[in-house]
Amino acid sequence: MLKGRHLIDPMDLTVEELESVFKLADEIIENPAEYADVCKGKLLSTCFYEPSTRTRLSFEAAMLRLGGQVLGFSSAESSSAAKGESVRDTMMTIASYADICAMRHPKEGAPKVAALNSPIPVINGGDGGHQHPTQTLTDLLTIRALRGKLTDFTIGICGDLKFGRTVHSLIKALSRYDNIKFILISPEELKIPDYIREEILMKNGLEFQEIERLEDVMNELDILYMTRVQKERFFNEADYVRLKDSYILDKDKMSMAKQDMAVLHPLPRVNEISVEIDNDPRAAYFKQAKYGMYVRMALIMKLLGVEKC
Ligand code: NCD
């Protein structure tokens, strides 16, 4: 049962629970009209202390498409955080207005603090450079739709693997599926954090490789997961400027890839995927954004414990 639970880390959901969310998302995609009123009378609060387009709006679209309503704020400056209010106090207040809350915060662990002080389900919409579990639900639903299953593939994850929270959550979640090979492509300075390498990849005996050149592995990949260099997490501008264009996926590189490789990206993109790729049938990132709304519809239903009548 997912009713009443929080989603802070991708490992909060078992593989079976994930599958139940994906099955519900499949049904919603098939018959959206049947779900148009299931959350009537329910309120979702989106508390976003950091910029967002897809995560916040897909949460809001999800709740509205389920017949519920939304309220919230989209920057710390427009909330009482600007006056010095703690996340705990904000959460205790929100909980008396809304039925469920999605929170994004620049500080690692803030949504967890909120969850510990909340009688309503709290969903982590991204906490600093740490985790982003609903982006992972989006990524998994996309991969499952494109490949028909979540096992037996080689995934290249490229870009800012150090600060990219979507990468950390994706590796954690995929560590439980069979026969996945991880090829981690980044500059030396942006390699995955030690806790992901040691606690997830090595501890579970997963097959992985860390390299710098995308060209060297392009022909091996079934999925290429590109990421943006996370400007807002850098301590100095010079390092960001030096690293920001480390990878640019263009037609030349795509010509080395398998005909059925899929390109994913959590978005927003900056320069790391050339727009000339957008019309390539292997570019799946805008489709992926759409799956993000459907999977959030399914997640909201599960955490609220509402069902189709
Ligand atoms: C990501 C995020 O916020 O971590 N975006 C998203 O939620 N789709 C990725 C990013 O900002 O680069």
Side-chain angles (χ1 to χ4, degrees), residues 54-55 104 125 132 135 165-166 228 230 232 265-268:
R54 269 148 297 269
T55 305
R104 169 170 288 188
H132 193 344
Q135 181 61 44
R165 55 195 174 196
T166 66
R228 169 180 76 89
Q230 306 280 297
E232 64 276 34
H265 190 308
L267 302 176

Side-chain angles (χ1 to χ4, degrees), residues 263-274:
V263 182
L264 269 59
H265 190 308
L267 302 176
R269 98 175 118 187
V270 186
N271 287 328
E272 60 279 1
I273 301 180
S274 161

Side-chain angles (χ1 to χ4, degrees), residues 23-33 35 66 294 297-299 301:
K23 283 221 170 84
L24 179 55
D26 288 344
E27 285 170 28
I28 297 171
I29 293 169
E30 278 298 306
N31 286 307
Y35 294 85
L66 293 169
Y294 290 117
M297 289 172 81
L299 179 69
M301 283 184 67

Side-chain angles (χ1 to χ4, degrees), residues 207-255:
E207 193 177 348
F208 76 100
Q209 192 182 329
E210 295 185 86
I211 59 150
E212 279 197 42
R213 278 168 49 91
L214 179 56
E215 298 86 316
D216 293 350
V217 292
M218 205 62 193
N219 63 352
E220 289 179 47
L221 307 178
D222 300 306
I223 295 166
L224 172 58
Y225 191 93
M226 293 296 293
T227 63
R228 169 180 76 89
V229 175
Q230 306 280 297
K231 182 178 186 201
E232 64 276 34
R233 315 258 179 251
F234 277 71
F235 295 111
N236 74 71
E237 175 85 11
D239 284 348
Y240 171 69
V241 170
R242 184 167 49 81
L243 293 166
K244 73 182 171 66
D245 291 329
S246 298
Y247 302 99
I248 297 178
L249 183 64
D250 55 12
K251 275 194 172 154
D252 267 3
K253 291 202 188 70
M254 284 301 280
S255 71

Side-chain angles (χ1 to χ4, degrees), residues 48-61:
F48 276 55
Y49 296 82
E50 244 193 5
S52 170
T53 299
R54 269 148 297 269
T55 305
R56 187 171 62 84
L57 296 185
S58 67
F59 263 116
E60 297 191 356

Side-chain angles (χ1 to χ4, degrees), residues 59-301:
F59 263 116
E60 297 191 356
M63 191 52 156
L64 294 168
R65 283 179 183 274
L66 293 169
Q69 290 182 292
V70 297
L71 77 173
F73 53 86
S74 56
S75 69
E77 295 72 47
S78 65
S79 79
S80 282
K83 301 180 187 168
E85 187 173 51
S86 68
V87 164
R88 177 179 176 277
D89 287 3
T90 303
M91 190 62 233
M92 287 171 72
T93 309
I94 300 286
S96 56
Y97 305 151
D99 301 290
I100 186 165
C101 172
M103 178 179 287
R104 169 170 288 188
H105 203 288
K107 280 213 181 94
E108 284 83 2
K112 181 161 190 175
V113 170
L116 290 171
N117 292 284
S118 170
I120 64 168
V122 176
I123 304 170
N124 178 5
D127 62 325
H130 191 214
Q131 300 295 326
H132 193 344
T134 61
Q135 181 61 44
T136 297
L137 295 185
T138 303
D139 301 339
L140 297 187
L141 184 67
T142 309
I143 296 171
R144 186 175 164 280
L146 294 173
R147 300 186 57 82
K149 55 183 182 175
L150 283 165
T151 56
D152 310 294
F153 57 80
T154 297
I155 182 167
I157 307 182
C158 177
D160 186 347
L161 312 188
K162 178 179 182 185
F163 297 117
R165 55 195 174 196
T166 66
V167 171
H168 309 155
S169 287
L170 182 60
I171 295 175
K172 269 185 144 182
L174 285 177
S175 71
R176 298 173 297 178
Y177 294 90
D178 290 337
N179 198 23
I180 296 179
K181 180 176 174 192
F182 296 86
I183 303 186
L184 306 172
I185 308 139
S186 73
E188 184 63 31
E189 295 96 321
L190 298 179
K191 284 168 94 170
I192 47 160
D194 291 344
Y195 80 93
I196 296 285
R197 184 181 307 103
E198 284 154 27
E199 297 297 315
I200 307 294
L201 294 166
M202 289 167 75
K203 207 172 190 166
N204 292 301
L206 303 177
E207 193 177 348
F208 76 100
Q209 192 182 329
E210 295 185 86
I211 59 150
E212 279 197 42
R213 278 168 49 91
L214 179 56
E215 298 86 316
D216 293 350
V217 292
M218 205 62 193
N219 63 352
E220 289 179 47
L221 307 178
D222 300 306
I223 295 166
L224 172 58
Y225 191 93
M226 293 296 293
T227 63
R228 169 180 76 89
V229 175
Q230 306 280 297
K231 182 178 186 201
E232 64 276 34
R233 315 258 179 251
F234 277 71
F235 295 111
N236 74 71
E237 175 85 11
D239 284 348
Y240 171 69
V241 170
R242 184 167 49 81
L243 293 166
K244 73 182 171 66
D245 291 329
S246 298
Y247 302 99
I248 297 178
L249 183 64
D250 55 12
K251 275 194 172 154
D252 267 3
K253 291 202 188 70
M254 284 301 280
S255 71
M256 302 173 199
K258 291 184 186 171
Q259 280 312 307
D260 64 348
M261 185 190 78
V263 182
L264 269 59
H265 190 308
L267 302 176
R269 98 175 118 187
V270 186
N271 287 328
E272 60 279 1
I273 301 180
S274 161
V275 289
E276 68 186 21
I277 305 301
D278 291 359
N279 292 326
D280 188 307
R282 294 169 288 185
Y285 29 93
F286 289 113
K287 219 186 277 176
Q288 183 184 358
K290 193 161 181 182
Y291 281 121
M293 178 184 73
Y294 290 117
V295 88
R296 289 182 175 96
M297 289 172 81
L299 179 69
I300 290 169
M301 283 184 67

